Amino acid sequence: MGEMSGFQLGVIGALFLSVASSVSIVICNKALMSNLGFPFATTLTSWHLMVTFGTLHAALRFNLFENKSIDMKTVMLFGILNGVSIGLLNLSLGFNSIGFYQMTKLAIIPFTVLLETLFLKKQFSQKIKFSLFLLLVGVGIASITDLQLNLMGTILSLLAIVTTCVGQILTNTIQKRLNVSSTQLLYQSAPFQAAVLFVSGPLVDQLLTKQSVFAYKYSPIVLAFIILSCLIAVSVNFSTFLVIGKTSPVTYQVLGHLKTCLILAFGYTLLHDPFTGRNIIGILVAIFGMGLYSYFCSQENKKKQSPDPLSSQLKDKEETLVIAQDKEGHEVKKPNKDSLV
């Protein structure tokens, strides 16, 4: 029981850290990009991963965690896949309307469920599927404003969905099958993610913004916000791997939509973004769906943990039989032992 309560506290801590750090970095990046005019999102993400790797390397030097060797080919492919998925998501946003981009993010949950069902033979109950449906409807109502389709944008969105789903499923699978921690996996994969985005980032950003990250004039306040963003990103990247490892890719996506609702609410209260009745209804429906998802997941986990009464009775009978046989054996052996003496 102590181990189980400790695990639950770890999950709650990971979820809280993920939400707090993600909302913080969105507010920081919104100020950096919207107010200060720094539009280079993909390049900024490569810097995030470089700082994350540097921080983890320093932590390793101070023996704050133990490094564990993972097959280089696995780590390299995993890191490159995650780096490509980030670049594709940014390209998807650039080539699509905001509404279609939100639809792309919403599609990640059902596609993840589909992949886990087909390839990992994971079962999702009808209750879980219904709660996820409510969540997606709510987030869709709250965040989707327009849907403008184009061929290039659609292709990029499909590629972004596939790479993101596979990357998150692998994050969970590698940690569990290879028995590595989220910190160990992030430490070894971050350089490859950073390398992909460091090379492709300036090209992607120039394609999307028509500006060069190398020609940008960096003021002291922009540099300060970039440094702050990179520091917060360490927590974001760490908590992402932690949450997926302790829960599942679907739960991480559900958490991501909670962040979307919180960001909409923070945008209204702190940044005075436009907010309508439709936003409020969508957020309430999404939160209700999240609540149902959490409740159904906890109920199913309790069922898995609670022993089957029939099997426990059989086990008790077997133990009683073994004890009786042992007693009989001792009773038979005792006179033989005495006679030998």
Side-chain angles (χ1 to χ4, degrees):
M1 288 296 292
E3 288 183 3
M4 183 54 62
S5 61
F7 175 78
Q8 290 173 345
L9 285 173
V11 171
I12 292 169
L15 295 174
F16 177 79
L17 178 64
S18 180
V19 171
S21 58
S22 295
V23 172
S24 299
I25 202 168
V26 166
I27 293 172
C28 177
N29 288 349
K30 187 175 177 66
L32 179 61
M33 294 178 186
S34 299
N35 300 339
L36 299 175
F38 183 84
F40 310 107
T42 312
T43 303
L44 180 63
T45 305
S46 72
W47 298 343
H48 287 169
L49 288 161
M50 288 178 187
V51 173
T52 298
F53 174 73
T55 304
L56 290 177
H57 189 69
L60 181 64
R61 290 291 184 186
F62 284 101
N63 297 318
L64 296 179
F65 74 96
E66 183 181 349
N67 191 22
K68 185 174 182 178
S69 179
I70 308 174
D71 176 57
M72 181 59 68
K73 185 179 178 181
T74 300
V75 173
M76 186 182 298
L77 291 174
F78 172 73
I80 291 171
L81 178 67
N82 277 325
V84 169
S85 73
I86 294 169
L88 286 171
L89 279 170
N90 287 340
L91 281 172
S92 174
L93 178 58
F95 279 86
N96 290 306
S97 64
I98 293 175
F100 193 80
Y101 175 71
Q102 288 295 339
M103 280 292 294
T104 300
K105 291 174 70 177
L106 290 178
I108 291 172
I109 283 184
F111 198 80
T112 302
V113 170
L114 177 65
L115 287 180
E116 289 196 309
T117 303
L118 291 177
F119 297 104
L120 300 181
K121 308 302 179 186
K122 188 172 181 179
Q123 299 297 319
F124 294 88
S125 67
Q126 293 300 322
K127 291 179 179 179
I128 294 288
K129 291 176 182 176
F130 175 70
S131 64
L132 291 173
F133 173 75
L134 273 184
L135 164 67
L136 296 176
V137 168
V139 176
I141 292 171
S143 61
I144 295 175
T145 53
D146 61 330
L147 286 174
Q148 298 175 11
L149 302 177
N150 66 80
L151 181 60
M152 178 59 73
T154 303
I155 292 171
L156 288 170
S157 292
L158 288 172
L159 291 172
I161 290 169
V162 172
T163 53
T164 301
C165 291
V166 174
Q168 290 179 0
I169 290 171
L170 284 176
T171 302
N172 179 270
T173 305
I174 290 173
Q175 288 185 58
K176 290 183 176 175
R177 291 191 179 177
L178 300 184
N179 195 27
V180 296
S181 69
S182 54
T183 312
Q184 291 165 340
L185 181 57
L186 179 59
Y187 174 67
Q188 296 203 35
S189 63
F192 298 106
Q193 295 182 59
V196 170
L197 294 174
F198 186 73
V199 173
S200 64
L203 299 173
V204 171
D205 288 333
Q206 186 152 11
L207 181 65
L208 297 176
T209 65
K210 311 301 180 188
Q211 299 179 53
S212 171
V213 68
F214 304 110
Y216 183 83
K217 294 181 179 179
Y218 294 86
S219 65
I221 190 168
V222 167
L223 289 173
F225 267 88
I226 288 173
I227 293 169
L228 178 61
S229 179
C230 289
L231 293 175
I232 299 172
V234 175
S235 178
V236 173
N237 291 325
F238 172 72
S239 62
T240 296
F241 279 60
L242 190 62
V243 168
I244 295 175
K246 285 186 173 292
T247 57
S248 70
V250 173
T251 299
Y252 176 72
Q253 285 299 321
V254 170
L255 188 69
H257 292 306
L258 170 62
K259 298 171 195 173
T260 300
C261 294
L262 289 175
I263 288 162
L264 287 171
F266 276 118
Y268 173 69
T269 54
L270 298 179
L271 305 174
H272 307 292
D273 289 342
F275 211 63
T276 64
R278 174 179 167 176
N279 296 130
I280 296 171
I281 293 170
I283 288 173
L284 291 176
V285 172
I287 290 173
F288 181 64
M290 288 174 210
L292 284 179
Y293 176 79
S294 300
Y295 175 75
F296 292 145
C297 282
S298 64
Q299 291 297 107
E300 290 186 5
N301 286 333
K302 284 179 182 177
K303 284 182 182 178
K304 289 177 183 176
Q305 291 163 13
S306 61
D308 184 10
L310 182 61
S311 63
S312 62
Q313 285 177 7
L314 290 172
K315 187 177 179 182
D316 290 340
K317 286 181 181 178
E318 288 175 0
E319 288 177 353
T320 305
L321 184 62
V322 169
I323 292 169
Q325 288 174 345
D326 286 345
K327 284 183 177 179
E328 288 175 2
H330 285 304
E331 286 172 1
V332 171
K333 288 177 182 177
K334 191 171 181 181
N336 291 339
K337 185 178 179 182
D338 291 339
S339 65
L340 285 171
V341 171

